Amino acid sequence: MNDTATTTVRYSFQHLQQVSDSLAKRVATANKGAKASLQTGIVTSGNTVKLSSLKGAALTPAQRDVIGWARRTFGGAVQVSTYAHKSVPRYCYDDYACDPPLRSGLAIFTGGARCTSAFMTYSGSRYYMLTAGHCAELGYYWDVSTYSYGYQNVGGASSYTFGWYGDSAIVSIDNPTWWQPKAGSCPRHASTAANATTSADTSASRAPPPATPAGRSPRSTPPSPTPTAHCPA
């Protein structure tokens, strides 16, 4: 039985890529100095390139010019729309250099070895970063290279398993107030949920940056973090 459906579309993917590339260059220029950015990207399900502005925000003359140019030049290949929330920058140069919040998918380092961070977790009053168990066999203390502050220490491996029964490790996050970990896994019981809800209230005071790894120096003093709740009640 053939369960594949074929749909005829007006624009080829190659054409949409060309439209997207042309738009991206003009949008980047038009967004300079603007309080809210235009955003663009291919929507394959709609066979179009979406060009969006922040709902309710005033457009600059340069941004209005880009929208008018896109409509005249590309016609139905471009869909002009709005998005609801202003984008918040998360400063990452690449997977080697990301500022807080601590999250999954980052390169993490110990003693010259490199691994990858997995989910952030919360248990009791402690935050943890998950990684592979074979990584914990390479070293105890783990660092992350940040974009703004150089290498910063996260903490040490609290426990790990590597072998027949699995390959996982948990690394204690020694300064969660500064790192602001974005939890991807939370315990589902009331006492811990209450702790998670109230932990945001206690993180408003400024925290020092994590201890700088030996031989490395942060490039500047980190700012005070914006407190956020991590686990739902």
Side-chain angles (χ1 to χ4, degrees), residues 4-207:
T4 301
T6 302
T7 302
T8 301
V9 295
R10 182 177 181 183
Y11 305 105
S12 68
F13 187 72
Q14 182 180 9
H15 178 70
L16 294 180
Q17 284 183 312
Q18 292 172 346
V19 172
S20 181
D21 291 344
S22 298
L23 265 179
K25 295 175 182 178
R26 295 206 176 210
V27 164
T29 300
N31 282 341
K32 291 181 179 178
K35 292 183 178 180
S37 298
L38 293 177
Q39 298 181 0
T40 182
I42 297 174
V43 182
T44 54
S45 60
N47 190 225
T48 188
V49 177
K50 185 174 285 188
L51 177 59
S52 305
S53 60
L54 178 63
K55 186 175 182 179
L59 297 173
T60 66
Q63 290 174 326
R64 287 196 295 269
D65 287 345
V66 168
I67 293 175
W69 170 82
R71 283 172 165 157
R72 293 190 305 271
T73 306
F74 303 117
V78 171
Q79 176 189 353
V80 177
S81 63
T82 60
Y83 59 92
H85 302 288
K86 189 173 183 179
S87 300
V88 178
R90 303 294 190 194
Y91 294 103
C92 284
Y93 179 75
D94 52 23
D95 63 341
Y96 294 98
C98 276
D99 287 353
L102 192 62
R103 68 206 88 170
S104 60
L106 300 182
I108 59 176
F109 302 90
T110 185
R114 175 195 169 192
C115 282
T116 305
S117 64
F119 289 116
M120 305 299 117
T121 67
Y122 181 83
S123 179
S125 60
R126 299 287 301 177
Y127 288 86
Y128 299 92
M129 175 181 72
L130 302 185
T131 189
H134 64 265
C135 295
E137 290 208 333
L138 301 175
Y140 179 76
Y141 287 107
W142 288 89
D143 311 328
V144 167
S145 174
T146 67
Y147 179 75
S148 302
Y149 320 116
Y151 280 86
Q152 298 289 348
N153 182 253
V154 174
S158 297
S159 178
Y160 77 94
T161 297
F162 177 45
W164 182 263
Y165 295 102
D167 185 8
S168 62
I170 57 173
V171 176
S172 176
I173 301 173
D174 291 341
N175 196 335
T177 304
W178 188 82
W179 278 114
Q180 289 290 287
K182 292 299 180 184
S185 178
C186 300
R188 300 304 301 168
H189 53 83
S191 60
T192 302
N195 288 338
T197 302
T198 58
S199 65
D201 301 329
T202 61
S203 64
S205 59
R206 183 173 181 131

